[in-house]
Amino acid sequence: MTKELIIDVASDEIDIALLENKKLVELSKEKSNPKFSVGDIYLGRVKKIMPGLNAAFVDVGYERDAFLHYLDLGPQFRSLQKFLNAALSRKGKPVSMQKFRREKDIDKNGKITDVLSSGQVILVQIAKEPISTKGPRLTSEIALAGRNMVLMPFNDKVSISQKIKSEEERNRLRTLLRSIRPQNYGLIVRTVAESKMVKTLDEELRDLIKRWENAFDRMRGKTPPSLIVSEINRTTAILRDILNPSFNNVYINDENVAREVKEYITNIAPEKQKIVNLYSGSAPIFEKFGIEKQIKSSFGKTVSFKSGAYLIIEHTEALHVIDVNSGNRAKNVNNQETNALEVNLAAVDEIARQLRLRDMGGIIVIDFIDMHHNENKNKVFDRMKKVMEDDRTKHSILPLSKFGLMQITRQRVRPEMEINTRERCPTCGGTGEISPSILVVERIEGALAQLVEREQLKSVSLRLHPFIAAYLTKGFWKTPIGKWKKEYGCKINVVPISSYDFLEFKFFSADGTEFVS
């Protein structure tokens, strides 16, 4: 399987698309200067204790107070609080973690009032971003993620990823990291650490520890709510989590971001630095790699996937419902059981992709086409477990019920990705009436003449539907574009955009800025 990352950088947003074998499987839109990302560490203040919920609401700067449950405090909460208080009150050099004496773990069946009080200053980490009307979900069990490991302050355990199957390798990593791990630090070893040399692991461990200690150096003089440690941006977080030998290319349309990503990859995997490519084509990067078309076909209520079969995806406040339909395919197959199995197996692949693409979380109920044989139901269940192995988000899958329903629970840490694929007609503006299509060339020329006169342009990029682009540029002599270049003294670069409406056209400058008429 080949993996490619396509990064579209705009002034206010960075869109990140992950392709597996040229198929879009993940899409994220990261706003510039995003707030409250999963992994961010804040200095917060307890606003309200809720004994009935065994939880507290904490002010971390969001419009709604964040939620912190007792079970999310972590066993070492008293140790963290003692270290935090010492760091805030100390004027000189911060307390050394290696010399710090930990407190007794809190009772896992205790009450929130035993450890927290209103107005108390605490250190928290974002576990879930704000979703809908809810504020962020917090934890005080701090974890700093690196490429090969996760650092857990005030812990002393070394855990190895279950995906590392070799017992010999697991023992090697456990022994190695126990020997280099400083006191009062625990570690979770990630799958990519398999076969890594001690030098690589030791360097990353020192970097994570330095990041933690520097946070307390910067904390002096801070008042809650304050951001203490910021998670790396979404682009490098995706690279950190999924970069592997099958990761073939990273394409970026911004020189600065390309340089940052290349530096990051050089640090974590020097042999892969050549996979970073700066894209400088005239067509939008998502259009060039066919992502725009896949977005249009993959989001929305109805999603087609094979030979007329399709999914219907509905969302409620409590859960997501996916209905599998065979469509026209059912008319062409005599054996209903065979048809149902084939459609359901194909649907499994598309459903697994949709869960990752939309980042759907919570409870997902799937209504498969009815099958009578338990053997076939088990095939669908096994197939779902296999294709979901590539999903990095924690999830649980239950077998099909006697009614043909499958239930999946998937961790929800960010708002679901929603893209409205229905568009208001750019030609008629929603009125249902358009100017005669025979006049489209005259309309384009009129807009060009007005733009050249107003902006005094020497070059312009014209983006429009491929059919109209072909008409304007066909032949060698006396094409409409050739005529306009000569008449208006302006270089015109025609860029076909398949996602545009048939009669839609737009003008852009050389740096990609759209001219508004």
Side-chain angles (χ1 to χ4, degrees), residues 56-60 62 64-68 126 135-138:
F57 285 100
V58 182
D59 179 16
V60 291
Y62 190 65
R64 291 181 179 270
D65 290 335
F67 183 79
L68 176 63
I126 304 295
R137 179 76 181 256
L138 305 177

Side-chain angles (χ1 to χ4, degrees), residues 140-159:
S140 281
E141 197 164 12
I142 307 298
L144 276 75
R147 173 156 170 77
N148 297 293
M149 66 189 75
V150 178
L151 183 71
M152 308 285 288
F154 308 106
N155 203 323
D156 55 7
K157 295 180 180 178
V158 175
S159 303

